[in-house]
Amino acid sequence: MGALRDIAGAMGVTQGQGATDAMFFGDGLVETPARGDAPAIPLTGDASLDKHTRVALLREEREIARRFEGGKMWLYPAFAFTCYAIWLSFFPLAIMGWLNLPLAFVLSTVFAVGGYVTSHEAMHSNIGRPGSKMRWLNEWTGKVSTIIIVFPFSMARLMHLEHHYHCNHPEKDPDYPDRASGPWHAIYKTWLNRQPGVDGSIHIYKRILAEMGTKEAADSLKDTIRLQLIFLAVLFAMAWSGYAIEAALIWWLPRHIGLSYIRFYLSWAPHHPRVEQGRYTNTRLFKSRLGHIGSIGMETHFIHHLYPAIPSHRTKEAYHALRPVLEKRGVHCPEI
Amino acid sequence: MQRAVQTLFKIMPFLFGIGFIAPLIAQTMTYWGWEPPLGLSPIGLGLLIGGPWGLYATLRGRWV
């Protein structure tokens, strides 16, 4: 990390901010060393801010953010279970010849991408906190959501939380292999990182899981193996029973297209150029050509990294409310 | 058990070539009414493409 700071400094991207970021721990407000203190976004405003100003701004920021936590969270399980049920029905319908395959292909791809969004809320326990009466719903929403992309919830949650803890760290961020120089390179990397012999996503996942060494990590790896074997068994069985095209259009292709879309918009776009690791610098705000919904809400992914308890459908609203405070802090806030 | 699973995943691209790509090629050809060359059956041609392609992916570590 020190080396990264040196490189960032040499590139002239380090300014302002200093070596600390104010963060909340429990109910108190303390200043703690930031993971990375080199802002990717020029923090010109922040250079003039003293500690008390930063703490006051953070308090204000947090008070505003709190208003956007929660909301209509029932939407996520409703979407997840409905889509999963529809998708499952495609298999018998296809075998009986009652399915419009092009339509099923489009819907399955939408479900594959949308499923990650619903599981993402479950990863952050936004549907039901541990110990709450809605916890089971949180867990099952997560579990059914990622089946289409063959990425078990247990693994997805562990890796995503590691991404939050070590955002943009070359060795500890599981999403780091998605780093790319531009959009076309990023699209290429989404394919490359899924190749069997390339040191891509699954290899870095396995390494991180081994380093964690917990039962949870071992279980998530077993879940991944099980789900992948089920996926392949279904594909092989359907293909050799005369339903290869159906299997390809309902599961195989939607999974691959969905994973590429997710990797591009959820991983590459909001974290590009993937250099900085600070609270206000590890993610960027950007305007997407596909709009807020087309980019799966990733234009304001920055807000999600600051406040993961704000659900995806409220990050844009939260951004507009937080914008004045963020600008005072020196964050570049484009029109979105 | 662990070793068996590791071996299975190591040769999975080859298995995928014959388990999925071969019948997919065969059924796609039949769907579009394409005739396989050299008097081959659609599944014969599928296996002829899917098998070596999967083997290539297993050995090289990528499909293309």
Side-chain angles (χ1 to χ4, degrees):
Chain A
M1 198 159 86
L4 268 177
R5 284 192 196 127
D6 294 344
I7 293 165
M11 290 167 69
V13 293
T14 55
Q15 52 180 301
Q17 190 100 346
T20 60
D21 260 323
M23 293 182 76
F24 276 96
F25 285 95
D27 294 322
L29 182 64
V30 292
E31 289 235 332
T32 61
R35 284 200 187 95
D37 53 14
I41 306 164
L43 297 180
T44 48
D46 203 45
S48 60
L49 301 179
D50 59 23
K51 176 184 170 182
H52 295 290
T53 310
R54 287 204 306 272
V55 169
L57 280 174
L58 184 59
R59 185 171 287 127
E60 192 182 346
E61 181 191 302
R62 192 166 168 86
E63 279 167 10
I64 295 168
R66 205 170 267 152
R67 300 203 308 257
F68 297 93
E69 291 176 0
K72 294 177 182 171
M73 297 310 294
W74 60 268
L75 284 168
Y76 294 93
F79 180 85
F81 288 107
T82 304
C83 293
Y84 183 63
I86 294 171
W87 178 73
L88 266 187
S89 76
F90 288 163
F91 291 90
L93 289 173
I95 289 168
M96 290 187 284
W98 295 349
L99 190 67
N100 181 325
L101 267 178
L103 178 65
F105 165 63
V106 172
L107 286 176
S108 297
T109 307
V110 171
F111 296 164
V113 175
Y116 192 86
V117 177
T118 53
S119 80
H120 182 232
E121 294 305 323
M123 288 173 208
H124 289 287
S125 301
N126 287 348
I127 298 162
R129 300 276 167 209
S132 73
K133 64 178 182 180
M134 299 306 277
R135 184 61 176 171
W136 67 273
L137 188 60
N138 186 84
E139 298 304 282
W140 278 101
T141 300
K143 283 175 186 173
V144 302
S145 295
T146 54
I147 289 174
I148 306 183
I149 55 170
V150 197
F151 189 30
F153 179 58
S154 54
M155 173 75 97
R157 173 157 57 190
L158 277 183
M159 291 302 104
H160 185 65
L161 295 181
E162 282 297 298
H163 161 69
H164 272 264
Y165 299 147
H166 306 290
C167 190
N168 296 350
H169 189 288
E171 283 155 20
K172 294 181 178 175
D173 181 353
D175 293 345
Y176 195 80
D178 296 320
R179 187 181 187 197
S181 56
W184 293 109
H185 187 212
I187 291 168
Y188 167 71
K189 290 286 288 284
T190 68
W191 169 82
L192 182 70
N193 285 333
R194 282 202 302 280
Q195 296 306 297
V198 171
D199 193 23
S201 306
I202 192 66
H203 295 95
I204 196 169
Y205 289 1
K206 279 158 75 176
R207 185 172 53 71
I208 289 170
L209 289 174
E211 282 169 11
M212 290 169 104
T214 60
K215 183 181 179 299
E216 207 181 6
D219 289 346
S220 74
L221 192 57
K222 284 179 194 161
D223 288 345
T224 306
I225 292 167
R226 271 187 220 114
L227 187 56
Q228 292 207 344
L229 288 176
I230 290 169
F231 168 63
L232 291 164
V234 170
L235 289 190
F236 292 3
M238 283 187 75
W240 280 94
S241 305
Y243 300 101
I245 297 172
E246 288 81 353
L249 293 177
I250 297 172
W251 203 352
W252 181 56
L253 274 175
R255 174 189 181 241
H256 279 289
I257 296 169
L259 279 174
S260 285
Y261 201 89
I262 290 163
R263 287 276 168 205
F264 182 87
Y265 266 120
L266 275 83
S267 184
W268 178 76
H271 301 293
H272 181 64
R274 245 194 173 101
V275 173
E276 303 301 334
Q277 297 172 46
R279 174 174 162 83
Y280 295 94
T281 58
N282 60 17
T283 314
R284 68 180 179 135
L285 292 150
F286 67 98
K287 182 77 184 157
S288 168
R289 288 180 188 177
L290 296 186
H292 196 62
I293 293 171
S295 64
I296 342 171
M298 287 301 109
E299 290 177 326
T300 49
H301 189 62
F302 176 83
I303 300 298
H304 168 68
H305 268 261
L306 293 182
Y307 298 99
I310 297 177
S312 298
H313 70 281
R314 302 191 75 186
T315 55
K316 189 173 181 180
E317 194 187 352
Y319 168 61
H320 289 302
L322 285 165
R323 194 173 167 182
V325 184
L326 295 172
E327 280 177 339
K328 279 183 203 165
R329 190 173 261 285
V331 175
H332 171 64
C333 296
E335 286 296 331
I336 293 173
Chain B
M1 181 67 180
Q2 192 184 345
R3 199 171 181 83
V5 172
Q6 278 176 340
T7 308
L8 184 68
F9 274 97
K10 203 168 184 177
I11 60 162
M12 193 53 84
F14 174 65
L15 299 178
F16 191 80
I18 56 175
F20 187 68
I21 292 176
L24 182 62
I25 290 171
Q27 289 162 41
T28 304
M29 290 183 71
T30 307
Y31 180 82
W32 291 106
W34 296 335
E35 286 295 321
L38 308 169
L40 287 166
S41 63
I43 192 63
L45 183 69
L47 286 167
L48 213 58
I49 297 171
W53 195 9
L55 193 62
Y56 171 85
T58 300
L59 298 173
R60 177 114 200 282
R62 40 169 101 182
W63 285 91
V64 180

